[in-house]
Amino acid sequence: MQGSPVKPRLLLSFPFAESGGGWNIPLGESCAQALEEMGFEVCRFNPVEEKIDFPGRKALERLLVLGCRLGGVSKERAKRLLPWDEEHRRFQRLSQVAEQFRPEVVLVVSTFTYPQEVLDRLRRQAGVRHLLGWCVEGPSWMRSPVAEAALYDSYFCIHRHGIGPESGIGYLPAIAYDPGHYRRLQPALPKCRDISFVGRLKDRRLELLRQVLDYDLHLFGPGWDQCGEAFLPRVKGSMIVGEALSRLYNESKIVLNVSAWENDGQDCPNLRIADVPATGSFLLSDYSDYAAELFKPGVEMEFYSSVAELRDKLDFYLANDAAREKIAQAGYARALRLETYPDKMRTLLSQSAVPLPEPRQAGRRI
């Protein structure tokens, strides 16, 4: 009797959960599940490290770094060599996991990245044949996608800002229909919240949301409870994920989207562009050309380009339930036709010349 075919192994690096749990983005899990459905054996590597602290750490660190610098080692490299350094432990743990798992493919989905020496070690000691990277950060990311791309066999980015064709970087937006994490609940929930916003505290968001605190605004995300007394009545939680997040969207009349970066001239809408319509909910988003290509403005989604326009549309759609729900339902129908994460993973692997598993090897994850 012939045994089951061996599945190709793929290690996926993504911050699946923050230190101590809490806030997380389901993008990594959605990609992992898609790859498993395609027939890969997937190792989920979470690069997040607990911070180690102890009395006298800073003084000892300064002394050791000084000694390294006298020996010709740069300050940055010296700090990475310290046994309690988060990067040092992350790089060491990745190497250990890869040597044990022996993946043919490593896919690094930012935000955590790895230097050349660590990636070379994966090839040399763990037998990795394909190193792939996918930058899912916006155009304000502290690292250069062009510099990162030089470290990988194939590299992709969710935007084109500052990236020319000569870079060899593939354009792969992360926006996709993800029914495993965002769905319309049945029976329909009563719309008991006027406006909800979910996201980390960022300067651009702070400035805009400060202008709509006179509305029934429900804020979720890290940092908002530190924004002063005017915000506190609007802050409903530092985290909301999973089924609770789908429920929040379902029971909100308007879900507000404010990108962490300016989209004018950069055009990189965030994942809420697909996530919210997938729940059958009405999304009012800051404008981007790409988002407006995916969802027809005023028909499948609404957009704003200024505080005045935002307030006008909040007033109108809070007062006109039928108009709001018509757009929400059209947006839901459009979301169902978007690419899925299996589609994204097939594109990424095919354009990287990575062989896909034979169809007989694929099986849905239980």
Side-chain angles (χ1 to χ4, degrees), residues 67-327:
C68 288
R69 293 187 68 183
L70 291 174
V73 179
S74 69
K75 179 180 178 180
E76 292 73 20
R77 179 167 173 76
K79 293 186 73 172
R80 286 212 309 264
L81 294 175
L82 298 174
W84 56 79
D85 178 73
E86 292 171 44
E87 283 198 338
H88 171 85
R89 290 184 290 129
R90 179 180 307 125
F91 300 159
Q92 191 173 55
R93 189 163 55 88
L94 173 66
S95 297
Q96 292 170 348
V97 170
E99 287 178 39
Q100 181 179 13
F101 183 63
R102 307 295 294 182
E104 289 94 339
V105 183
V106 169
L107 171 58
V108 177
V109 181
S110 54
T111 59
F112 291 89
T113 58
Y114 306 98
Q116 182 76 64
E117 63 198 69
V118 173
L119 298 176
D120 286 345
R121 194 183 311 149
L122 296 183
R123 292 188 195 276
R124 188 173 62 252
Q125 297 180 5
V128 174
R129 295 201 293 267
H130 305 278
L131 284 172
L132 316 178
W134 188 18
C135 175
V136 296
E137 296 297 315
S140 58
W141 192 34
M142 65 183 70
R143 298 181 184 274
S144 163
V146 175
E148 286 291 313
L151 305 179
Y152 293 87
D153 300 322
S154 292
Y155 197 80
F156 300 83
C157 188
I158 63 172
H159 65 85
R160 294 189 177 104
H161 183 70
I163 299 173
E166 72 283 353
S167 68
I169 295 176
Y171 176 54
L172 186 64
I175 292 171
Y177 174 52
D178 188 8
H181 291 99
Y182 302 96
R183 60 190 181 87
R184 183 167 63 176
L185 301 180
Q186 296 294 341
L189 301 179
K191 298 290 186 180
C192 57
R193 303 174 192 261
D194 278 1
I195 307 165
S196 66
F197 174 83
V198 179
R200 293 179 183 275
L201 171 65
K202 298 288 185 180
D203 289 344
R204 186 169 182 268
R205 291 170 172 168
L206 176 64
E207 291 307 310
L208 190 140
L209 293 177
R210 199 190 302 276
Q211 309 301 318
V212 294
L213 290 177
D214 53 322
Y215 290 86
D216 176 37
L217 175 65
H218 296 243
L219 274 173
F220 291 84
W224 294 105
D225 57 347
Q226 306 298 316
C227 293
E229 293 184 5
F231 275 85
L232 285 179
R234 304 301 181 210
V235 179
K236 307 303 179 183
S238 62
M239 61 166 272
I240 184 167
V241 296
E243 189 73 7
L245 180 55
S246 271
R247 184 178 183 88
L248 172 69
Y249 288 160
N250 273 264
E251 63 188 17
S252 299
K253 295 177 182 177
I254 296 174
V255 180
L256 183 59
N257 184 32
V258 187
S259 301
W261 48 80
E262 177 60 59
N263 268 308
D264 185 21
Q266 300 187 119
D267 202 23
C268 182
N270 57 35
L271 297 179
R272 292 170 194 80
I273 291 295
D275 297 345
V276 176
T279 66
S281 306
F282 177 91
L283 183 64
L284 178 55
S285 177
D286 49 349
Y287 181 83
S288 90
D289 288 337
Y290 180 62
E293 289 176 15
L294 293 177
F295 292 87
K296 190 173 180 181
V299 177
E300 298 167 333
M301 186 175 291
E302 265 292 10
F303 298 92
Y304 64 90
S305 297
S306 67
V307 172
E309 185 179 13
L310 169 61
R311 291 184 63 91
D312 285 346
K313 290 189 174 180
L314 287 175
D315 290 339
F316 177 80
Y317 286 110
L318 287 174
N320 292 272
D321 294 350
R324 184 185 69 238
E325 290 307 306
K326 182 178 180 181
I327 292 175

Side-chain angles (χ1 to χ4, degrees), residues 39-90:
F40 286 92
E41 181 181 352
V42 178
C43 174
R44 295 159 172 79
F45 180 78
N46 186 0
V48 179
E49 289 285 346
E50 295 278 355
K51 186 173 183 178
I52 296 177
D53 209 352
F54 54 86
R57 170 183 161 168
K58 289 186 177 179
L60 179 58
E61 189 169 299
R62 284 196 295 268
L63 181 62
L64 292 174
V65 169
L66 177 60
C68 288
R69 293 187 68 183
L70 291 174
V73 179
S74 69
K75 179 180 178 180
E76 292 73 20
R77 179 167 173 76
K79 293 186 73 172
R80 286 212 309 264
L81 294 175
L82 298 174
W84 56 79
D85 178 73
E86 292 171 44
E87 283 198 338
H88 171 85
R89 290 184 290 129
R90 179 180 307 125

